[in-house]
Amino acid sequence: MVITGADIFKMAAIDYVKKKGRFVVAVSGGSTPRPMHRLLSEEPYFSEIPWDKIDFFWVDERCVPENDPASNFGMAKKDLLNRVPIPVNQIHQMTSYPSPEEGALNYEKKIKEYFRLKEGEFPVFDLIYLGIGNDGHTASLFSGDKALEETKRLVIAVKGGDPYVSRITMTYPVLNHATQIVFMVSGRGKSDVLKTIFENRKDMLPAQRVQPSQGNITWLLDKEAASLLSGDIVHE
Ligand code: 6PG
């Protein structure tokens, strides 16, 4: 799973930079992405990826200090960004001051400016990595939260998750305009929620509402996470 996730990143970066001179990616936090981030900072990925042409965004962030282990930015910096030559002005951190609401508005403004969006337009990220909580959340979109119904804002402030803190998150309009979504899910603790997602289509957990209108979804699961799925779903 980790190698495939890194290969997808590398191939997309090379392809988009060749086609349009830049690659615009957004990553999630949590523990799952960390091995991939570390792998991307090592050979052969280090030399093969056009780091100077990448714009690196976050899907969500916990409103904690950067040196807090719960900080998605802090972890990505430690695992990857301190080790690869992405220009600092192309690393687009989600910050939550003077408040999570202000932080969300600022990030939304940053996205609108970066993508030169007109009123009512949504950004098209080349690639977005998502994870899934064992409760079926993704990004910082949690079941029952009014954030799930947001159709206009690109980025909003919420409270929830584990750790239960204020967070800033991209909304479904952004996720569902991406060209490619990659879900990375690992560990036995995710096997139940994956069974629900793949086999109980009627449920609408937050992760199931990621349905890119023009894009595609790739699922990267390790054996433990996929352990309750039937054979016709799981392809090595
Ligand atoms: C976050 C993440 C979140 C994460 C899942 C899975 O900031 O909490 O963006 O959506 O992807 O909670 O987290 P793990 O990878 O730690 O299981």
Side-chain angles (χ1 to χ4, degrees):
M1 179 188 78
V2 176
I3 292 176
T4 310
D7 285 345
I8 290 172
F9 186 104
K10 179 190 82 172
M11 291 183 288
I14 292 169
D15 185 33
Y16 280 102
V17 168
K18 201 182 296 173
K19 278 194 303 196
K20 59 177 187 150
R22 69 178 190 181
F23 172 50
V24 193
V25 62
V27 298
S28 288
S31 56
T32 304
R34 298 197 62 188
M36 181 184 77
H37 289 169
R38 286 194 289 271
L39 187 63
L40 286 169
S41 73
E42 296 159 4
E43 293 300 351
Y45 299 99
F46 181 88
S47 302
E48 293 175 349
I49 291 172
W51 296 106
D52 62 327
K53 299 283 190 304
I54 295 180
D55 276 282
F56 207 91
F57 288 81
W58 274 263
V59 168
D60 62 339
E61 183 57 279
R62 295 84 174 270
C63 301
V64 296
E66 183 181 311
N67 60 0
D68 185 316
S71 166
N72 293 341
F73 175 77
M75 289 303 106
K77 209 171 154 205
K78 190 170 161 205
D79 296 332
L80 176 61
L81 302 175
N82 282 345
R83 306 168 182 215
V84 294
I86 297 183
V88 67
N89 65 330
Q90 292 170 212
I91 296 175
H92 307 286
Q93 180 183 3
M94 269 183 177
T95 55
S96 53
Y97 46 81
S99 71
E101 289 71 19
E102 287 285 310
L105 286 168
N106 291 338
Y107 207 71
E108 180 163 296
K109 184 165 174 284
K110 176 194 278 260
I111 290 176
K112 286 181 174 175
E113 287 169 358
Y114 179 85
F115 285 93
R116 298 197 178 94
L117 299 181
K118 298 188 186 69
E119 195 53 41
E121 285 186 333
F122 294 101
V124 179
F125 280 83
D126 299 326
L127 176 57
I128 295 182
Y129 285 92
L130 294 176
I132 294 184
N134 50 24
D135 60 355
H137 83 260
T138 191
S140 284
L141 298 167
F142 299 98
S143 289
D145 195 309
K146 65 180 186 323
L148 302 184
E149 308 316 320
E150 181 56 53
T151 58
K152 293 189 173 43
R153 291 286 305 277
L154 308 181
V155 183
I156 55 177
V158 298
K159 202 170 171 90
D162 175 17
Y164 185 81
V165 293
S166 289
R167 295 159 174 252
I168 295 173
T169 186
M170 287 180 176
T171 59
Y172 285 122
V174 176
L175 304 181
N176 287 335
H177 277 83
T179 302
Q180 182 176 13
I181 297 270
V182 174
F183 275 104
M184 293 182 76
V185 191
S186 69
R188 190 162 302 282
K190 305 290 174 74
S191 57
D192 285 316
V193 70
L194 281 176
K195 184 172 177 60
T196 299
I197 287 171
F198 280 95
E199 297 180 1
N200 304 353
R201 298 263 178 209
K202 65 182 181 345
D203 293 13
M204 281 316 265
L205 294 170
Q208 290 172 289
R209 295 174 64 166
V210 175
Q211 298 165 6
S213 49
Q214 308 293 329
N216 59 57
I217 297 181
T218 304
W219 289 86
L220 301 183
L221 316 174
D222 68 8
K223 280 194 172 26
E224 292 75 21
S227 57
L228 298 181
L229 298 182
S230 56
D232 63 343
I233 287 178
V234 181
H235 308 291
E236 295 291 330

